[in-house]
Amino acid sequence: MLCIGFVLAFVFGLLAQRLRFSPIVGYLIAGVLVGPNTPGFIGDATLAPQLAEIGVILLMFGVGLHFSLRDLMSVRRIAVPGAIVQMFVATAMGWFLGTRLGWSHAESLIFGLSLSVASTVVLLRALESARLLDSERGRIAIGWLIVEDLAMVLALVLVPALAPNAEGARDGGIGLALLITVLKVGGFVALMLIVGRRVLPWLLERVAGTGSRELFTLCVLACAMGVAFGAAELFGVSFALGAFFAGMLLNESPFGHKAAEDSLPLRDAFAVLFFVSVGMLFDPWILIEQPLEVIETLAIILVGKSVAAWAVVRLLGKDNRIALTIAASLAQIGEFSFILVGLGASLGLVSEQTRDLVLAGAILSILLNPPLFALMARRTRVADTPVAPVAKGHVLVVGYGRVGGKLAVVLSRAGIPFVVIDTDDARVEAARAAGYKAIHGNAADEAVLAEANPSVASLAVLTIPDALEAGHVAQRLKQGAVSIPVLARAHSDEAVQHLLRRGADAALLAEHALAHSLSEMIAAMPEYRSGPLPSVARAP
Ligand code: AMP
């Protein structure tokens, strides 16, 4: 199952990428192919969702690693009312559709609820690829998701009480069940904040002290999985929420950053399995049998939810950029919806058809979300303060961080006109505050690069650390009608070779330059001045 899942996901993911779709489309198709509804190999339908759960755990753990308690509290004013109103609106719309189709109230309610909650995996993928994870908009979206997640924990407790022969209903104990759940969740959060907050970072530091990389990675994984599992088993909190807390607490440790890096490849691998397992559940026939209902479901997810979210954010006084980001990032449904309708189906409250409808809505909204999000990202990017027309013969500085920032000071002192491009909102604002021309966006994106007018520039300097992205930019610059000289930053010999192959005229190995500066500093010291040091060989 794992082998076929990974291989097919890779092949179709690559194909989707080539055809300019999101690779997610490819993973989903791979899932449909190994699912029971298409001929050929049929994957293990009980194993797949479990692997997907691990994906969700690792993803939420990763989110926690980037998120501090302060961040979470700083967005509560907007995330809490926003998520509640949006969930209410979406549930009401789903309920309305359900009763119109003649379903029972319980079924309509579960249907509505399942449309009201967005998928963590899809949201994080979207934020990550638009590089919004660390922005204010990204933090609000994540806070919003966590509120939805908490609401789902309650919903999962309440749904069984809707069943005609439920225990809770018999002794009139819905209120009691709810109270117990709230107490359990509260107990979990308190335990994490009081005990976990001290123990987890302490443990991580101790293990880092052993010097074993393997043990460190294992410690990170054990914390993520252990806390997630404990939260679910002992407190009835969702896996995702437990993992989020584990990550958030490790974040406070000085090794949090390393923990995030170590768990990244695993996170990616399991996120892929999540999409494959979603694809496996899907029966494509529903698209032909009930096209109208599918479209209505999709409209609730894509239009109804977005409009509600957009309106709430605007009403709470945030600007249009934030409102559009939130609306686009939540216009999809995923894992929680499956869990909820699955529970409904096992209680006999939800028919097979309704479950398929939710699945169709999920698959289609996951397919349509990346282009929707990209459209939003483009709109909100253009909504930035426009850059004044760029002078001719300017220098193009890609990346305004430690390297690009210093370079900008030098260029501006020398009176050389230049433009910077950076993906980070805050960096771009800092550059503009310093009085520089700055463009917001990924330089590897054709439209962003075009804004900097590279065809009339005199030089481009790529100061971004990622050689693959820099190689992309170099190639774009060299493909233009007029090719301008390109200088690039690199961190390994392989990166230097890659950049040169992609057309850079020079690629400077950062560590080499550092050694060079250090040796010059030593040569300038009085005690070494007598015998001149041989100079460090310069990078090609
Ligand atoms: P530093 O490593 O401190 O020089 O920072 C690198 C800078 O490059 C950061 O400000 C990043 O936001 C920025 N950056 C990284 N990748 C890209 C890219 N593809 N396009 C534009 N800016 C980028």
Side-chain angles (χ1 to χ4, degrees):
M1 169 70 213
L2 270 175
C3 296
I4 295 197
F6 276 130
V7 171
L8 280 186
F10 167 66
V11 171
F12 283 92
L14 195 65
L15 202 68
Q17 176 91 332
R18 286 259 122 181
L19 298 174
R20 295 185 170 251
F21 285 115
S22 155
I24 291 179
V25 178
Y27 310 149
L28 288 169
I29 292 176
V32 175
L33 288 181
V34 297
N37 300 309
T38 46
F41 173 80
I42 292 180
D44 185 334
T46 49
L47 180 61
Q50 296 187 16
L51 296 173
E53 288 251 277
I54 295 186
V56 175
I57 291 179
L58 289 175
L59 267 154
M60 278 307 268
F61 177 67
V63 179
L65 276 170
H66 289 289
F67 216 79
S68 70
L69 202 58
R70 196 146 36 91
D71 289 343
L72 190 59
M73 294 316 276
S74 73
V75 300
R76 71 178 186 281
R77 284 221 178 77
I78 180 152
V80 174
I84 291 175
V85 172
Q86 192 206 22
M87 287 186 84
F88 183 81
V89 171
T91 307
M93 286 193 280
W95 178 81
F96 188 74
L97 176 60
T99 45
R100 222 198 57 219
L101 295 173
W103 303 344
S104 73
H105 284 306
E107 183 164 12
S108 309
L109 189 67
I110 295 174
F111 177 68
L113 268 175
S114 70
L115 300 187
S116 75
V117 52
S119 157
T120 313
V121 189
V122 178
L123 175 91
L124 293 181
R125 274 298 158 98
L127 290 178
E128 212 161 57
S129 60
R131 295 165 189 271
L132 287 174
L133 263 186
D134 289 323
S135 65
E136 186 197 3
R137 318 184 241 170
R139 277 196 289 274
I140 296 177
I142 293 169
W144 191 298
L145 193 84
I146 287 163
V147 178
E148 286 192 355
D149 197 347
L150 283 168
M152 263 307 124
V153 174
L154 296 184
L156 289 176
V157 180
L158 291 179
V159 163
L162 292 173
N165 54 353
E167 264 176 51
R170 222 184 304 131
D171 45 31
I174 293 192
L176 188 66
L178 191 61
L179 185 70
I180 292 177
T181 309
V182 171
L183 284 180
K184 276 182 168 176
V185 173
F188 169 73
V189 173
L191 186 73
M192 287 311 282
L193 292 185
I194 296 166
V195 182
R197 194 173 195 172
R198 302 206 167 86
V199 173
L200 291 184
W202 173 82
L203 189 68
L204 197 66
E205 262 169 67
R206 271 343 243 323
V207 176
T210 64
S212 161
R213 210 195 52 200
E214 186 176 284
L215 275 179
F216 182 82
T217 307
L218 202 55
C219 173
V220 173
L221 280 183
C223 286
M225 307 268 178
V227 174
F229 186 70
E233 284 292 302
L234 304 176
F235 295 94
V237 174
S238 72
F239 279 134
L241 205 64
F244 170 78
F245 268 94
M248 200 169 73
L249 298 180
L250 287 188
N251 183 14
E252 301 193 354
S253 142
F255 293 95
H257 183 68
K258 187 164 153 40
E261 258 173 26
D262 276 11
S263 56
L264 189 66
L266 263 175
R267 256 187 275 159
D268 283 347
F270 279 98
V272 167
L273 288 180
F274 165 78
F275 290 109
V276 173
S277 82
V278 173
M280 281 180 66
L281 290 172
F282 185 55
D283 183 359
W285 270 109
I286 184 134
L287 298 178
I288 296 160
E289 283 166 0
Q290 296 181 296
L292 220 62
E293 285 86 346
V294 171
I295 291 174
E296 280 173 298
T297 308
L298 200 59
I300 294 179
I301 302 169
L302 291 184
V303 185
K305 277 175 70 172
S306 316
V307 172
W310 181 84
V312 179
V313 179
R314 290 296 278 163
L315 280 178
L316 289 171
K318 292 289 179 183
D319 65 23
N320 203 26
R321 256 163 42 119
I322 296 184
L324 281 177
T325 309
I326 305 290
S329 50
L330 296 161
Q332 35 88 1
I333 60 171
E335 61 272 15
F336 278 116
S337 317
F338 312 145
I339 297 173
L340 199 64
V341 282
L343 179 68
S346 70
L347 291 167
L349 289 170
V350 169
S351 71
E352 195 114 301
Q353 265 181 342
T354 306
R355 204 199 60 185
D356 280 346
L357 214 50
V358 171
L359 272 177
I363 300 245
L364 293 176
S365 67
I366 290 175
L367 283 186
L368 293 174
N369 193 262
L372 192 75
F373 201 85
L375 190 73
M376 178 287 300
R378 195 154 304 158
R379 295 267 329 234
T380 55
R381 210 183 54 73
V382 176
D384 283 347
T385 17
V387 190
V390 170
K392 272 192 174 186
H394 59 290
V395 176
L396 180 58
V397 179
V398 175
Y400 184 72
R402 289 163 302 179
V403 182
K406 285 264 181 325
L407 194 61
V409 173
V410 173
L411 290 173
S412 106
R413 282 207 188 129
I416 301 170
F418 67 95
V419 184
V420 303
I421 303 183
D422 204 299
T423 40
D424 191 296
D425 295 24
R427 293 266 162 92
V428 170
E429 270 160 33
R432 287 183 187 158
Y436 307 146
K437 289 200 177 100
I439 295 169
H440 178 209
N442 187 341
D445 183 336
E446 217 167 331
V448 174
L449 198 59
E451 249 175 82
N453 244 343
S455 56
V456 293
S458 56
L459 172 70
V461 190
L462 314 182
T463 77
I464 56 179
D466 187 306
L468 289 178
E469 275 186 346
H472 236 87
V473 182
Q475 199 172 18
R476 283 253 151 81
L477 287 170
K478 289 294 182 182
Q479 271 167 358
V482 229
S483 106
I484 55 169
V486 175
L487 309 180
R489 154 186 176 184
H491 284 286
S492 68
D493 290 324
E494 292 75 24
V496 169
Q497 292 311 321
H498 175 77
L499 287 162
L500 293 177
R501 269 199 305 275
R502 287 297 168 118
D505 296 283
L508 219 66
L509 188 61
E511 287 74 8
H512 231 138
L514 182 63
H516 183 78
S517 300
L518 285 173
S519 67
E520 281 193 342
M521 200 179 265
I522 296 171
M525 290 177 175
E527 53 270 55
Y528 298 109
R529 208 175 270 158
S530 49
L533 289 176
S535 82
V536 172
R538 283 186 179 266

